[in-house]
Amino acid sequence: MKILFLILLLSFPVHAADFTDEIPTKQEFENDLEPAKKPYDYEARATVTGDIDADGNDEQVIIVQSAPGYPQQSMLIFKGDDLWKVGNSHVIEDSEGMLDPHGIVWLDIKKGILELATGPWGASCTQKWRGENGNLRLIGLTQISMSRNCACGTIIDTNYLTGQTIMTSDRGPDGTQLEKERIVKTKKSPQTIWWEDFNYKKFCASEN
């Protein structure tokens, strides 16, 4: 049942961030930015605002096209007018055939946790970031891989704070759907992964 729900979720995406399927023009994006942000006025793909480091002030997160005509996308985080974090390896590369615009499933801030889900059709990788010691720490990663042929798939949910990984799958070795979901739990030592350590292609198995 959990796998079926996620298939439906991936087929009918819900965007929590400020999205438009029409990419704003460079001038429109520039008009929305404070003067200090204008050096980074590439095409905006998604934005969200919220407090992610528990300092009582909202940060602004913007996903942008790294350069005109280039597939790389970057995540910029501003504290007021100051650029705080740049993530050049945190977002999936844009390509044709994405179900969601530019492969961005959602961008949101929930209870102080920054969440970004990206991926091609039938797959997604959700990062969960928390402010800690003046930096951002990866506290969780959820990888989803679905198959159209069997309407089945696999979810791998990792909690880096506890070291626990839960794998839920209804896809058999031969690619057919199992009658009953398999759930496998493993436990390793907790990991500390800072913003600067993250690389989408390394951590998101669907891109390996």
Side-chain angles (χ1 to χ4, degrees):
M1 182 64 69
K2 184 177 181 182
I3 299 289
L4 178 59
F5 170 77
L6 286 166
I7 291 175
L8 294 173
L9 179 63
L10 287 170
S11 300
F12 301 97
V14 177
H15 298 147
D18 295 330
F19 270 83
T20 57
D21 290 343
E22 296 294 329
I23 301 173
T25 65
K26 203 167 187 179
Q27 184 63 49
E28 288 171 339
F29 185 28
E30 182 176 296
N31 291 341
D32 289 339
L33 295 180
E34 299 293 334
K37 301 176 185 177
K38 288 186 179 180
Y40 306 93
D41 60 351
Y42 301 124
E43 291 176 340
R45 300 294 172 76
T47 68
V48 69
T49 300
D51 186 4
I52 54 179
D53 61 353
D55 66 351
N57 299 309
D58 285 348
E59 284 72 44
Q60 183 181 16
V61 183
I62 308 175
I63 295 178
V64 301
Q65 182 185 26
S66 299
Y70 191 62
Q72 182 182 2
Q73 302 183 99
S74 297
M75 184 156 47
L76 311 178
I77 304 179
F78 290 92
K79 281 181 169 293
D81 292 339
D82 298 323
L83 180 62
W84 180 42
K85 294 289 182 183
V86 177
N88 288 326
S89 59
H90 293 59
V91 188
I92 190 173
E93 290 189 353
D94 196 5
S95 65
E96 295 182 0
M98 296 286 191
L99 176 64
D100 296 271
H102 318 295
I104 304 169
V105 183
W106 74 73
L107 174 67
D108 201 5
I109 296 174
K110 301 177 181 178
K111 298 181 179 180
I113 305 299
L114 172 62
E115 296 188 8
L116 170 64
T118 58
W121 195 100
S124 72
C125 184
T126 302
Q127 310 163 35
K128 297 179 181 180
W129 296 92
R130 183 181 73 183
E132 188 173 314
N133 297 329
N135 203 341
L136 289 177
R137 180 181 178 181
L138 185 69
I139 62 171
L141 194 76
T142 302
Q143 299 156 274
I144 302 174
S145 177
M146 297 295 169
S147 171
R148 297 189 219 191
N149 295 330
C150 67
C152 57
T154 300
I155 305 166
I156 302 175
D157 190 54
T158 302
N159 184 327
Y160 290 109
L161 298 177
T162 64
Q164 179 171 271
T165 296
I166 302 175
M167 188 275 290
T168 305
S169 181
D170 65 347
R171 180 166 54 197
D174 59 354
T176 59
Q177 187 173 30
L178 299 174
E179 292 184 3
K180 184 178 180 181
E181 290 181 349
R182 293 182 296 117
I183 300 176
V184 179
K185 297 181 180 181
T186 57
K187 188 72 178 289
K188 296 182 180 179
S189 299
Q191 296 185 57
T192 301
I193 301 167
W194 299 112
W195 179 264
E196 295 77 13
D197 302 325
F198 188 83
N199 184 289
Y200 184 90
K201 291 183 178 180
K202 175 183 176 181
F203 282 85
C204 296
S206 62
E207 283 294 293
N208 291 337

